[in-house]
Every structure is written in C-alpha cells, then in structure tokens.
Amino acid sequence: MSLETLLQRSAWAQGLTPDQRARVVAEIQVRPVENGGYVCRKGDPTHAWFGVIEGLVKITTASASGKSVTFTGVPAGAWFGEGSVLKHEIRKYDVMALRDSVLAHMPIATFDWLLDTSIPFNRFLTRQLNERLGQFIAAVEHERLLDTDARVARSLSSMFNPNLYPSDDNTMQISQEELSYLAGVSRQRVNLALKVLEQAGLVKVDYGVLTILDLEGLREFGM
C-alpha cells in the first residue's frame, strides 16, 4: 500500500479540499521501521501523528521492573497517536513494529493546521477518540472478566473495528507470535485458543493468515 492508498482509505482525508490534501501529501514523511524496531519511545517528545501504510505495530509500555503490557495492535490502514499530538505532551507509551513496516508521519504543525482549517478533520477526531475510549474500556473489562480463549477472540475482533481500522478485507496476515503479544498470552496458548475459535466456526486458520468467518460471533464469544 502506498501513501496515496492510505489516504484514500482514511475518512478524514476524504473530507479535505484539494489544496488541503496537496499540503498534507507534501508534508507527510514516509519512513520504514524494521521488525522489532521502535516507531517512537516512551518519553519522546511528540512530533507527529502516525499512519500505518504497511505492516503491523503494537502500542505497549513497560514498568521499571520489566513487566510489560500491550494496549492494542495497529494494522495497515489505521492512524494512531492523536491523543499525545492534541495535548503536545511526551509519549506515554512505546510503539514497536511486529514486522517490517512502513509508516506515515504527519508533522504536528500539519495536524494543528488541519484542526484550525478542516471541520471534517475535527469530526473525524471526535469519532476516533470516542472509539478509542470504548476500545480501552472494553480491554479492561475483558482482562478482568473473560477467560483466555475469549480474550484472544476480543484481540482479534478489535482489529476489525471499521472506524479505527478501516478495511473491507476479512483476512489478516498475522502470526501466532504476533497475536500472543497483542493478547498478552503465550504463543502456545494462542494456538489452543485459535483451535477453539476455529471449531466454533468463527475463524479459519492458515499459516500466517487468519480469516474472520463470523465477526459478531467473535466479538460476543465467551459472554
């Protein structure tokens, strides 16, 4: 996927005027990051809003003792990090590539300019922040109330949120190791959970690829 394709899939970009779009394209920087590399680090100054052109990244943090937690995964086609940009604060989390990835970096000055000049961009951000809040409230609920199989199901279904991660594709290229990072369980336990979900007719598991057969069923599994 190219930057142009990413913008075509981004609801906020569709509402821009030709002049606004031209400035956005001119000022966005496209940068690769290798598997295991960092897009940004906790404590870094916020300099950009990020869009995933290719690959998969995770938003994570770790304590001084080394205990870590993953908040969410971000697949190709999605934008993230708007909260820190809006507040002009240092990053409160790490963003790490789970495979070789390519990201769009919209400078904070461009982001602020869109806030001042584009009503559709502001409406998009309102929806985006509301969806993000709902995502994290659900994550806390799932962590405390659901068993491991259901948590893996929710980790998968959350990556098919049509507002946060726009895509018409019901397949995802993701390894069991990558999914284990996102769900916060071992790869071996992910393997068992996927077998349960496949037997329930919710997903189809192939090597490195998952096909979602019943998204609503995946969202409600274990309730």
Side-chain angles (χ1 to χ4, degrees):
M1 182 165 57
S2 65
L3 173 60
E4 179 62 29
T5 303
L6 173 63
L7 293 177
Q8 288 174 357
R9 292 174 57 177
S10 301
W12 62 267
Q14 297 170 13
L16 301 183
T17 67
D19 287 345
Q20 287 171 329
R21 186 182 181 91
R23 175 170 170 175
V24 164
V25 171
E27 296 182 357
I28 283 179
Q29 299 176 6
V30 176
R31 299 176 184 174
V33 56
E34 295 182 349
N35 179 19
Y38 286 89
V39 179
C40 62
R41 300 293 298 263
K42 184 177 181 179
D44 285 349
T46 296
H47 63 84
W49 187 40
F50 301 113
V52 183
I53 298 175
E54 294 180 7
L56 176 67
V57 304
K58 68 172 181 175
I59 300 176
T60 183
T61 191
S63 67
S65 64
K67 185 176 181 180
S68 64
V69 60
T70 295
F71 298 118
T72 187
V74 186
W79 293 81
F80 67 93
E82 56 279 345
S84 296
V85 179
L86 283 167
K87 292 183 283 187
H88 287 219
E89 66 179 11
I90 63 171
R91 296 287 179 186
K92 301 287 184 69
Y93 48 77
D94 296 318
V95 180
M96 179 185 292
L98 290 177
R99 67 178 73 136
D100 290 347
S101 302
V102 179
L103 281 92
H105 294 232
M106 178 188 287
I108 193 168
T110 310
F111 184 96
D112 287 343
W113 171 73
L114 285 176
L115 278 178
D116 292 337
T117 61
S118 174
I119 292 176
F121 185 70
N122 280 269
R123 288 173 176 164
F124 166 83
L125 284 178
T126 300
R127 292 192 299 270
Q128 180 89 343
L129 291 168
N130 187 54
E131 290 289 338
R132 192 77 72 194
L133 177 61
Q135 181 186 44
F136 288 124
I137 289 175
V140 173
E141 177 187 18
H142 300 159
E143 177 70 24
R144 296 182 179 181
L145 299 181
L146 300 181
D147 64 21
T148 303
D149 294 339
R151 284 166 50 197
V152 172
R154 293 310 186 284
S155 294
L156 273 176
S157 64
S158 69
M159 299 182 72
F160 287 84
N161 181 306
N163 294 305
L164 293 175
Y165 314 124
S167 175
D168 296 327
D169 194 355
N170 67 337
T171 64
M172 174 174 288
Q173 293 185 346
I174 187 169
S175 70
Q176 292 185 10
E177 182 177 17
E178 291 168 342
L179 185 54
S180 73
Y181 290 134
L182 301 181
V185 299
S186 70
R187 186 191 63 77
Q188 292 80 4
R189 191 60 187 82
V190 165
N191 179 272
L192 294 174
L194 289 177
K195 290 179 179 178
V196 171
L197 298 177
E198 190 169 35
Q199 291 171 358
L202 303 178
V203 301
K204 181 176 183 295
V205 182
D206 296 303
Y207 183 75
V209 178
L210 287 173
T211 302
I212 307 303
L213 303 178
D214 183 354
L215 182 56
E216 286 305 314
L218 204 61
R219 288 169 175 162
E220 297 175 1
F221 183 83
M223 295 294 286

